[in-house]
Amino acid sequence: MPAGRFQAEAHAATIDLSKSKQNERSLKRLHLYRNQSSDNDARKSLRRGSEYHIKEQMITTEEYASSVIEALEKESFLQLPLPNDSPDATDDEGSVPPPPPAENQILQDYNLLRSANLVGVGAEAAEVFDLENNAPEVEETNMPPPPRRVSIQSPDNLSEEVPILQSTADVGDFEFLLGLWCDNAGVTRKEYESLREVLSFLTDLKQLDRLPLKLDTLKRRCRQHLPSLKMRRKAIDLNPSKLPTLNPTEKRGTSQLADSKAFLYFVDPKELFRRMLSGQQFSNKLHFGMAEFVDSPTELWHSFSWGSSIRACSGEYTHYPNGLPIFPSDIVYFKCQEANCACILQQPHLGRVCMIARDMTSKAAIRGEVRLTIQLLVQEARFDQEVQADIARSRIPSLENEWYLAEKNLMKVPTSHVLSQEIDVLFDYNFDGVKEHDTRYQSKIVVRRAVGTTLRTIRMVFPPAGELELATYGRQHFLDNFKPQKCICLPYLNFIDGFGLYRNMYRTLMGIYIILSSMNVRDRSRRSNVFAIALGPHGASFESIIESLVALRELDEGIAMEINGEWKYVCAFAQAYVGDMPQQTENSGFKRFNARRGCGKCIAEQKDLGNLNFDTNRYSRSHYETLARRQVAGQMNKTNAARFFVEWGLKEKQSPLVQISPALDLIQTRPLDPAHSELAGLSRALQRLLFEAILTEAGRQAYAAQLRVFPFPPNWGRLQSPLHHLDSYRMSELARASIITPVLLRCWLQPRFILVEYLSAGEKTFRDIMMKQQLSVVDVIVFCFAMLAKSNCVLLAETMTENERANLLMHVKTGRRCYQLLHEAAARADEVSKAGSRSTRSQSPISQSSLSYRSEASTIDSQHQDSQSPMKKGESKYRSCNRRPNVHAGLHCEFAAIYFTTPNNITTFIGEDKHRGFKQLVTQTNYRGVEKTLLLSEVFQQSLRLILQGAYQYDDPASTALVVQFSKSCPTLMDALLAPEQKLLDESEISILEDSAHRNPSVLVAIRRKEAQSQHLPIFPHKLDVLDNFRVQMQKAYEQDYGFNSAVGLHHEPLHYAKKLAFYDKCLESRSQQDTPCRIENIFLHEMNSEERRLFIRVTPTTVLPIMDAVLQSPILQLSTNSLIVGLPAIQPKKLYIVPIAYDRIRNEELDNWKDTQGDIGRGGEMLLQVDADIDFL
C-alpha cells in the first residue's frame, strides 16, 4: 500500500480536526510508524498511532475514521510536512517514537472502529483498517473510553462538552435494574447502604414471591409485627368557613351543609408515659427528685419552677423535726445562719418556703444537703420609715395581726434550721388594696400586702407552684400518694403551635408536643425526644382539641400504673406551656398584642410598648389578680362584661388549658418566646433597616459581596444573599445574620457606603452616645447592631455566666435602646428626604413589598410575627417600629431566667424543629388524611425507639430481642429510623483514646501522606532532631496532657493528619476564663502501640491584649509568631469566633496605651477580634 496514503490520512486529520503544533507532533508519529515498518507492520502501526492520536487529542474514533475516509477518497494526496520545532523529532532521518500503547488499549480502539459505519468506503479503506483479518488478539478490558471534546466549533461558542463515560464493565441484569430503580427513586447513599443491609437477609429467592403486591399492605404488616403505642380518636366539630370546597365524591355523600366534623387522632398519654418509665435505658437519662443548686444553672431542675413544686420532687421530701414533710409555700419558723442575728436568742424568723433544693455547688458545706429558700414575713414596725410612709399613704392601716411579705428578702437555710410550721396563717387574695373587708379576720397571722420595690397587695405577687398545687389537690393527697420509691413524677414542657404543612397557612395543623423537663438541655433539643401527642385537624378550634385530651388531666393529678410488674403512682404534669406570642395569649386567656392591653405579663397599653422604663413589676399581671377580674366580670351583664374584658385585655372565655392543668400559674407558666421576639422580630427589622434606610446602592452591593467571603463561626451554615432573599430568612438565618452583621460592619463599613441623609440624621440622633463613647456616626451604627447581637446571645445561649445573669435586663434594654435609636435616625432621615426634592434617595433592590414591616410572607409562614402596633396618623413607619410588642416583650425576660433557669429553655426552637420533620414527611404521603398518616408514622418510630430502650422487655421480650438483633445487623437502617441521640458528623474508623470530658473523639477528612509531605509536615517524629521544636513540643504534650513519661521517647509510628476533629462533651458548665484562645494549624494522630492512638493539635496561641474594641465591646487578641502542640484533654469544647481586623480599625488611643507599656505592636502577629457567638438556633 502506498505510503502516501498514511500521509494523506494524517494530513486530512490535521485539516479536519485541528492545526495546532500538538496535533502535528502526534500526526508525525503516524508518519514515523509508517517509515519504520513493513507493509504488514504498517497496518498495526496505524492502529497504534491512531489510538495514540485519539487518546491524546480527546476525539472519538468515529471522528478520526471519518477524516481518514474523506482523505482516501480524494484524487490527490498532499504530503505531510514534518515540523522542525517538534520536541519529538531530533533530525530529518527520524527519531524513535514513544512506546506504542498497550495491546489492551488498542483493542478498545479496534472495537470502536469496527462498530463505526464504514459502508460504501471502498476496498482501500478496508485494507487500511484491516477489519477482518488482522484484529489483535488481546484480553478484554473494562477500561472506559477516552474523554472527548468537540473537534470543530464556532469561535463564538465558548462552551465545552461534558464527558459522559461509557463503561464496558460486566454489569448483571439485577445490578443494572437495581441501579435504574435507585436512580429513578432518588435513593441516597445512606438509603442504598441500608438497602444492602436488608438484602443481606435474603437467603431464599422464594421470599420475594411472598412479598405483598401493594406497598400499603407491606407497611401495615411491618407495623403490626411489633408492639406499638396506643392511639385514640374523637370526632370534633370543624369551622366550615375555614375549610376548602369538597371533592365531587364528598359532595354526593353530604346531606347537610352544617355537617362538618373530623376525627382528632392522638397518642394515649397514659400508655406513652408508662412505656417511657418501663424502658430502663430511657429512664436512666431522666432526672428524678429534688431541684439542685449549682454554680452554673442550665437545666430545668435547677430552676425556681422545679424547686417550688411539690409534684416535681417525686415524693423526695425534707421534713420538720416532728417528721412531717415540708412543702413549698409552707409558713415556717426558722433561724438564720448569721452569727449576730437576734433569732438565736429571741424569737425566730417567720417566712414562706419558696423553693427546696439540694446544694450541689462548689461552696456547699455538705454536698447534697437540702436547703430551703425562704421569703421573710415581717411586721410594719420592722420596716424603715420610707416603707412605713408608703403604708400610711395607702390609707389602710396595718392590723394588729397583719404581717407583710418581704419579696426581696430571701434566705437560704438548711433543713436543720427549720423549727416548726405555722398553720394558722391567712393569705387574703381578695384584698384589693382599695377598701377594707367587712369581715373580721380570725386567723393568728394575716398577710394582705407585700413589700418589694413597691408596696402592693398580696394577690399581685407570684405564688410558689406548691401553693397552687395544695389549693387544687389538698395536702392529704400528697401525703397519701407521693411516697418515696413509690411515686414517679415527670414534669414536661407542653409545646402548642399551629403550623402550615405546605409553608403556607392554607392547611394548618395544631401540633401538641411533649418535651420532658427531666432530660438535659441537649437531649431535649433532639427531634427524637419531642413526643407528638396530637395533630389537630385544619379548621378545628383550640377548645375542642384540648377538651379531647382529658387523659392529661388525670395524669396531672396522678394515677396508679403497673410498670414492669410493679405498681407505681405516676404524676406527669405540664411544667409550662410553650409557644409563640399569639399562641401564648390563647394559652393564657388574654387578647393579642394589638388590643389596648395586649401584653399577657402586664397591663401596659399600646402607648407604653416603646417605653423601656415601664414599671413591669408595679403594673404586672398575676394569677390571683386575673382570677379576681374574671370573677368581677362574671357579676356584670353581658354588655358591661364585654367592655370590662376589652378594658383589661381579657378574652371572654378562660383558657381551655385550665381544664387539664388546673394547678398552674396562668401568667408565669406561659412564658414569652425569646426566639420569635428577638430573631423574627427585632433582628429581621434591623436587617431590613440596614438595606432600606442606611446603606447606599453601592454599599448594599459591597456588603453582599463582603458577606460571601467573610469568615463565619465554626460549623455555621451559609446565608443566602440578603439583597434578594432577606424576606425569606428563617429564624436560624436571622440568628446567624444578627451575629455576623456587626462584625462585618466593624471590619468594612465606611462613610461613603451610608446614605447622606442618614449620616446627617445620625449626628443628631446619636449625639449622646458619640460624646460619651467618643465614637463616630459609623461607629455608633456598628455599636447599635453589636448591642442587639449581645442581647440575642444572652437570651438564646444554653448557658449564662454569673455576670450575664446579674445584668440580663441591662443587656436587653441596651439592645432595644440601640434598636430604637437606629429607627429614630431613619425616621428623621426619611422626613428630611420627603421635605426635599424626593428624588435623591437610592432605591433598595429588595422589592417594596418585601420591605414592609408587616410582610405577608412572614404572616403566612406560621403566624410567627406579632401584631404590629397601630401606626399613628402621619407617623413614620420607622418610628412606629419602636413601639413593636417585641420591644416590650424583652422587659419580661428577667423573671423567665429565674423561673426556668435560662430563657433559652423555653424557646420554640424544639417544637419548630418537630414541625420541620412533619413538613418533610408529608411529601411522602398521598395528602389525604395527613393528620392520621403523620401521627401513625410518629407512633411507629417512637415505638421502635422505645423497644430498643427496653420499654417492652417485660411484656414482649421476643420482639425486643428481634429489634435489637436488627439494630446490630442493619445499623444504617435503624439510624435512619430512630435519629440516634448521640451522633457526630462522621465516624472515624480509628479508635482514639478518650477521657471523661471528651467522649467518642474522632477525626474527619483524612489528609494523604503525599499531601502532608507537600505541606512540609513531619511524618515520622522519631526521625526529627532531638532538639527539633516539633518533637520537643510533642513530648511536652504527651507529658502534660496525657501524663505519659516523655523519657520513653516516641515510637516509630507515623503521624496521621486530618482536617477536622469531633468529640462529645457532656459538661455544660462554664469553662475557666484563663483558657488561651488558639488557632488550629494541624490535627494529627500518633500511635504509641496498636491499641492506643492519641489526638494532638498544633496551634498558634494568641495574647489577649488589655484593651477592648470600643465599638463591639469585644476583646482584642494578637496572634503569636510561635506554635505549640497540645493533646485532646487540653482542648475545650467551646468554639470561638475570631476574625482578623486591620490595625487602622482599632482606635489610636487604644493602641497608644498598649504601645506605651509593651512597645511596638507591629512586632507581633496579626490583630484579631474575639466575638461572642454563643447563640442557640435550629
Side-chain angles (χ1 to χ4, degrees), residues 931-971:
E931 302 90 351
K932 178 182 178 181
T933 303
L934 295 178
L935 198 59
L936 279 172
S937 178
E938 167 75 6
V939 166
F940 177 71
Q941 290 190 11
Q942 294 292 5
S943 299
L944 197 60
R945 178 167 172 258
L946 290 172
I947 291 173
L948 274 175
Q949 295 181 333
Y952 293 87
Q953 178 66 42
Y954 181 82
D955 299 326
D956 195 344
S959 297
T960 302
L962 182 66
V963 174
V964 171
Q965 176 189 353
F966 290 159
S967 66
K968 296 178 180 179
S969 304
C970 304

Side-chain angles (χ1 to χ4, degrees), residues 112-167:
L112 291 173
L113 289 175
R114 189 179 182 89
S115 63
N117 185 8
L118 301 179
V119 179
V121 172
E124 292 181 336
E127 182 181 1
V128 170
F129 291 102
D130 196 10
L131 298 180
E132 298 297 334
N133 301 321
N134 295 315
E137 297 180 359
V138 295
E139 296 180 359
E140 294 187 2
T141 178
N142 293 332
M143 177 180 178
R148 56 180 301 179
R149 64 177 173 85
V150 178
S151 59
I152 302 176
Q153 65 181 21
S154 171
D156 298 332
N157 185 6
L158 301 180
S159 64
E160 62 180 13
E161 182 178 353
V162 178
I164 301 178
L165 304 180
Q166 181 180 0
S167 174

Side-chain angles (χ1 to χ4, degrees), residues 1025-1095:
D1025 186 80
V1026 177
L1027 299 179
D1028 185 88
N1029 182 63
F1030 188 94
R1031 180 168 181 171
V1032 172
Q1033 292 287 347
M1034 191 170 174
Q1035 288 177 332
K1036 287 183 179 179
Y1038 260 114
E1039 184 174 350
Q1040 296 176 3
D1041 300 329
Y1042 287 107
F1044 190 83
N1045 187 1
S1046 60
V1048 177
L1050 302 176
H1051 285 210
H1052 293 188
E1053 296 296 331
L1055 302 181
H1056 301 277
Y1057 289 89
K1059 295 183 178 180
K1060 296 181 181 180
L1061 65 91
F1063 58 86
Y1064 180 76
D1065 172 51
K1066 291 185 177 182
C1067 182
L1068 286 177
E1069 294 188 5
S1070 59
R1071 302 291 174 175
S1072 171
Q1073 300 300 318
Q1074 303 301 321
D1075 296 334
T1076 303
C1078 301
R1079 184 176 69 185
I1080 297 179
E1081 305 295 346
N1082 305 113
I1083 302 169
F1084 60 91
L1085 299 175
H1086 186 244
E1087 182 179 346
M1088 292 298 292
N1089 53 57
S1090 59
E1091 297 181 356
E1092 293 184 358
R1093 296 177 176 88
R1094 292 174 172 84
L1095 189 148

Side-chain angles (χ1 to χ4, degrees), residues 809-988:
L809 190 58
M810 183 270 291
H811 288 305
V812 173
K813 284 187 176 182
T814 302
R816 278 157 169 73
R817 180 56 183 158
C818 290
Y819 167 91
Q820 291 179 332
L821 285 175
L822 290 174
H823 280 82
E824 178 61 26
R828 293 181 179 183
D830 192 46
E831 291 170 354
V832 172
S833 179
K834 290 180 179 179
S837 62
R838 298 176 179 270
S839 61
T840 59
R841 286 294 301 274
S842 300
Q843 295 298 322
S844 170
I846 308 175
S847 64
Q848 292 298 318
S849 61
S850 68
L851 288 173
S852 64
Y853 279 80
R854 183 59 176 163
S855 66
E856 181 181 359
S858 59
T859 306
I860 288 177
D861 179 22
S862 289
Q863 294 181 349
H864 287 163
Q865 297 288 359
D866 55 286
S867 300
Q868 177 70 22
S869 299
M871 184 183 298
K872 298 179 181 179
K873 187 176 181 179
E875 184 182 30
S876 169
K877 64 178 181 180
Y878 302 114
R879 193 168 283 123
S880 68
C881 287
N882 289 340
R883 295 183 291 105
R884 294 185 67 142
N886 290 326
V887 175
H888 174 78
L891 302 182
H892 299 286
C893 65
E894 188 176 31
F895 192 85
I898 300 173
Y899 206 78
F900 300 104
T901 307
T902 64
N904 185 66
N905 279 335
I906 41 90
T907 62
T908 58
F909 282 141
I910 306 173
E912 297 287 348
D913 184 55
K914 194 71 173 182
H915 289 343
R916 181 186 299 178
F918 284 128
K919 291 178 181 180
Q920 295 170 351
L921 186 60
V922 74
T923 60
Q924 305 174 19
T925 68
N926 60 0
Y927 303 103
R928 292 185 177 183
V930 290
E931 302 90 351
K932 178 182 178 181
T933 303
L934 295 178
L935 198 59
L936 279 172
S937 178
E938 167 75 6
V939 166
F940 177 71
Q941 290 190 11
Q942 294 292 5
S943 299
L944 197 60
R945 178 167 172 258
L946 290 172
I947 291 173
L948 274 175
Q949 295 181 333
Y952 293 87
Q953 178 66 42
Y954 181 82
D955 299 326
D956 195 344
S959 297
T960 302
L962 182 66
V963 174
V964 171
Q965 176 189 353
F966 290 159
S967 66
K968 296 178 180 179
S969 304
C970 304
T972 307
L973 173 62
M974 301 305 288
D975 284 352
L977 286 173
L978 304 177
E981 301 177 4
Q982 181 178 325
K983 190 174 183 180
L984 298 174
L985 297 177
D986 197 357
E987 293 183 0
S988 173

Side-chain angles (χ1 to χ4, degrees), residues 989-1001:
E989 297 180 357
I990 303 175
S991 175
I992 303 174
L993 191 66
E994 63 178 25
D995 56 37
S996 59
H998 305 79
R999 299 293 187 185
N1000 301 329

Side-chain angles (χ1 to χ4, degrees), residues 334-352:
F334 69 97
K335 293 182 179 181
C336 68
Q337 294 180 295
E338 297 181 9
N340 299 326
C341 184
C343 68
I344 299 178
L345 301 177
Q346 301 177 8
Q347 184 177 3
H349 297 292
L350 182 67
R352 179 171 71 172

